[in-house]
Amino acid sequence: MKKIWNSLYWRMSAILLLLLVFLGLAYVVITAYSANLYFQETNQRLSKEIAPHIVTEVSPFLQDGNVSEDNVHEIMVRMMTINPSLEIYILSSEGKILDYVAPYKKIKLNFVSTKPIKEYLENEGNIFISGDDPRNPGKTKVFSAAEVNQDGKTLGYVYVILASEEYESVANMLYNNYMLKVGSQAFLFTLVATFILGLIFLWFITRNLNNIIQTVKRFKQGDLQARIPVKSKDELAQLSITFNDMAATILKQIEDLKTMGNLRRELVANVSHDLRTPISVIHGYIETLIIKEGNITEENRKKYLDIVLESTDKLKNLVTELFELSKLEARQIKPNIEPFFIAEMVQDIVQKYQLLAEEKKIKIKSEILADNSLVYADIALIERVLQNLIDNALKFTPEEGEIVIAVHQTETNLEVRVKDTGPGIPENQIPFIFDRYHKVSDEVVTPNKNGTGLGLAIVKKILEIHNTTIHLSSKLNEGTSFSFSLPKSPVPVETV
């Protein structure tokens, strides 16, 4: 029983049944009440001529204004013989009961309100209205009424209750029996039919919900491709779409985690390799120096120490770049944004690299095509970007080659471009060139391929925290170009 009650279908069915019972009972009560009003209004409309007919047949009042009891009782008894449901009252103009004909001669009121009588007469009996019941204080009944005039003066009213107490008692008993019989049959038939139809509709609705539940269970059990078919636009369809989107997001996150796991393993392997090489070199030469102490020439000793120093520099650079890249990826480095002249930075960097470029027989120059080179960025980080790009260009540019650092102006930004005349990058490697530890394959032959493999990854991360991107274009045997944009500074240039 508890399991059934835990089912949404049966809980909704129980709620539906309760609603139907409530609505059915309300329907029976409202119908009974409306039918009773209909009967009373019909009776009043059909009987509106009774009171005027009594006045026409006999005048209830004498010339002196008193009630003519003999005449009145004669016509009253005759009318009640024809229609025993009537109760006839003679009222004064103020509503006092002067005479009446009613079963068992029992009345409990001496006055009745003349307000509904006057309203009834003003509308010529064409409205549904009830008046005081002299035999039942506080209750009202439908009536027929007529005004009695003499010499233009209102002497009183003939007031006819159309349903006597006895008649109403019998009518109510028969009516209640009829309503109980007919109402209960109609109620039960309607309840059963509607409940069955409701169960069918609920089954159609919860069937889609069951499909959703089964799909979610499949996804939970490991079927990551499970999706809910969407065939409508209702709330359940929106729930299905939301689940499908969530499942796609989770699947993508799982793939990203797998990719990150692979990258992490590759990183560990690459770091291990890059750390092992200089450490092995340092260890080997120091061990040689110790073994050959006293038996080694000064020239070889200096040569070995230079190799050790070079390896320690390489090891230091690798650790520094790894630490820098880790902080960039973790968003621990916040750029210190300020205005500065990018053209001046480019020219200073060209001067710094001029000697190194000459040693490698490479020409390096700047090309400033901007009237105002004031940009809004972090000076140190952008300088690091340019240094890494130039270092990369120097590694791959052959002798007699050329490196150009250009600054171009656009409508809202300044574009910085570092272009070399190196061998270019194979097209299939361009999408991966900014991955850490990615190195150009042996398809490109160059004497300067040594490096940590982290330079371009650092460039990309620095520009990302500046909300800009690095663009790459390359052609084999023609060269490679890296470019990025920086926003113009909102700070105006000071003039002297």
Side-chain angles (χ1 to χ4, degrees):
M1 184 67 183
K2 185 177 180 181
K3 184 177 181 181
I4 293 176
W5 183 246
N6 288 334
S7 170
L8 178 62
Y9 174 76
W10 289 112
R11 281 185 294 179
M12 292 176 66
S13 300
I15 294 172
L16 175 64
L17 180 60
L18 291 176
L19 288 175
L20 288 176
V21 171
F22 173 77
L23 291 175
L25 293 175
Y27 172 77
V28 170
V29 172
I30 293 171
T31 302
Y33 177 75
S34 301
N36 187 40
L37 290 180
Y38 171 78
F39 170 76
Q40 293 185 47
E41 184 173 1
T42 302
N43 190 23
Q44 188 174 46
R45 290 289 184 92
L46 293 175
S47 305
K48 70 178 182 178
E49 298 298 332
I50 292 178
H53 179 71
I54 293 174
V55 174
T56 303
E57 288 293 324
V58 60
S59 177
F61 292 92
L62 299 174
Q63 291 294 329
D64 58 3
N66 293 320
V67 177
S68 176
E69 294 184 3
D70 294 337
N71 293 339
V72 170
H73 276 248
E74 181 183 353
I75 189 65
M76 285 182 175
V77 170
R78 195 185 315 155
M79 293 295 295
M80 291 185 68
T81 302
I82 297 172
N83 189 350
S85 66
L86 301 179
E87 294 177 5
I88 304 172
Y89 300 86
I90 305 300
L91 308 178
S92 68
S93 58
E94 292 81 16
K96 182 179 180 181
I97 300 176
L98 302 176
D99 201 356
Y100 63 93
V101 177
Y104 308 112
K105 296 287 185 177
K106 61 174 184 176
I107 64 170
K108 297 180 181 180
L109 294 178
N110 294 322
F111 282 85
V112 296
S113 174
T114 59
K115 183 178 178 181
I117 297 173
K118 291 177 180 179
E119 187 177 353
Y120 176 85
L121 294 174
E122 286 175 2
N123 291 276
E124 299 180 352
N126 293 321
I127 64 169
F128 173 67
I129 190 169
S130 58
D132 291 339
D133 181 6
R135 299 178 69 181
N136 295 284
K139 291 186 65 176
T140 59
K141 289 186 176 181
V142 291
F143 63 88
S144 174
E147 188 177 36
V148 181
N149 296 313
Q150 185 175 319
D151 299 329
K153 181 182 178 181
T154 301
L155 298 179
Y157 304 95
V158 174
Y159 183 63
V160 182
I161 297 296
L162 300 177
S164 66
E165 185 176 7
E166 291 73 21
Y167 172 82
E168 190 176 61
S169 176
V170 174
N172 284 339
M173 181 180 67
L174 295 174
Y175 180 77
N176 290 335
N177 290 337
Y178 175 79
M179 289 303 297
L180 180 62
K181 181 179 179 180
V182 177
S184 60
Q185 291 176 352
F187 171 70
L188 289 175
F189 175 78
T190 305
L191 177 65
V192 172
T194 308
F195 185 64
I196 291 174
L197 290 175
L199 290 179
I200 295 173
F201 286 127
L202 285 177
W203 180 80
F204 275 108
I205 294 173
T206 55
R207 181 185 62 173
N208 294 331
L209 188 58
N210 288 331
N211 290 337
I212 295 174
I213 293 172
Q214 294 304 319
T215 304
V216 172
K217 285 183 177 178
R218 285 169 51 204
F219 190 85
K220 176 185 175 183
Q221 292 167 357
D223 184 4
L224 301 182
Q225 300 300 327
R227 297 294 183 272
I228 303 170
V230 180
K231 299 179 181 179
S232 62
K233 296 182 180 179
D234 57 10
E235 289 79 2
L236 290 179
Q238 295 301 316
L239 176 62
S240 301
I241 293 172
T242 303
F243 171 80
N244 291 343
D245 292 343
M246 181 194 70
T249 302
I250 292 175
L251 190 60
K252 183 178 182 302
Q253 290 174 345
I254 291 174
E255 295 298 327
D256 290 343
L257 288 174
K258 289 180 180 178
T259 302
M260 290 298 295
N262 293 333
L263 290 175
R264 189 176 294 108
R265 285 190 291 272
E266 291 178 7
L267 174 62
V268 171
N270 289 323
V271 169
S272 300
H273 176 269
D274 283 358
L275 290 177
R276 187 185 300 113
T277 301
I279 289 174
S280 298
V281 171
I282 293 170
H283 178 80
Y285 278 97
I286 290 178
E287 187 179 38
T288 301
L289 287 171
I290 293 173
I291 293 173
K292 293 185 177 182
E293 185 177 2
N295 298 321
I296 189 173
T297 64
E298 186 63 27
E299 182 181 355
N300 285 336
R301 182 175 177 276
K302 184 177 183 304
K303 178 182 176 182
Y304 294 166
L305 289 175
D306 287 340
I307 293 174
V308 169
L309 181 62
E310 182 182 351
S311 296
T312 56
D313 286 339
K314 185 176 180 180
L315 187 60
K316 182 181 70 174
N317 290 337
L318 176 61
V319 173
T320 300
E321 290 192 348
L322 273 172
F323 183 65
E324 182 179 9
L325 182 59
S326 297
K327 289 199 297 183
L328 286 168
E329 288 181 337
R331 294 281 179 166
Q332 294 180 358
I333 296 178
K334 303 296 181 182
N336 180 25
I337 305 298
E338 58 182 324
F340 66 93
F341 287 97
I342 189 68
E344 293 181 0
M345 176 183 287
V346 168
Q347 291 170 350
D348 290 343
I349 290 176
V350 167
Q351 289 297 323
K352 291 178 183 178
Y353 278 90
Q354 193 72 48
L355 183 60
L356 180 59
E358 288 177 356
E359 289 177 357
K360 296 186 176 184
K361 298 181 181 180
I362 297 172
K363 184 179 180 181
I364 184 170
K365 66 177 183 178
S366 62
E367 186 180 275
I368 310 299
L369 300 176
D371 298 331
N372 176 16
S373 64
L374 196 67
V375 296
Y376 204 52
D378 186 302
I379 297 177
L381 292 178
I382 296 303
E383 183 175 11
R384 178 75 162 131
V385 167
L386 290 174
Q387 288 174 347
N388 283 13
L389 291 177
I390 294 173
D391 285 339
N392 186 75
L394 286 170
K395 291 173 187 175
F396 291 93
T397 302
E399 292 183 359
E400 308 302 329
E402 183 181 67
I403 299 173
V404 179
I405 303 95
V407 178
H408 298 270
Q409 184 171 327
T410 65
E411 185 175 347
T412 58
N413 298 316
L414 286 173
E415 183 184 86
V416 182
R417 186 182 301 274
V418 178
K419 183 179 180 181
D420 63 55
T421 57
I425 302 171
E427 187 175 352
N428 62 342
Q429 295 191 31
I430 289 179
F432 312 104
I433 201 69
F434 295 102
D435 294 344
R436 55 172 144 189
Y437 281 111
H438 180 82
K439 296 182 181 180
V440 179
S441 68
D442 292 336
E443 297 176 33
V444 180
V445 180
T446 172
N448 299 316
K449 281 188 174 180
N450 296 324
T452 63
L454 300 175
L456 292 181
I458 291 173
V459 167
K460 182 182 178 183
K461 292 298 178 182
I462 290 176
L463 294 178
E464 282 180 356
I465 65 175
H466 279 82
N467 297 317
T468 187
T469 54
I470 183 79
H471 299 282
L472 164 64
S473 61
S474 182
K475 291 184 178 180
L476 288 177
N477 303 318
E478 291 186 17
T480 302
S481 174
F482 294 91
S483 64
F484 61 92
S485 296
L486 295 174
K488 293 180 181 178
S489 172
V491 180
V493 181
E494 295 184 2
T495 58
V496 180

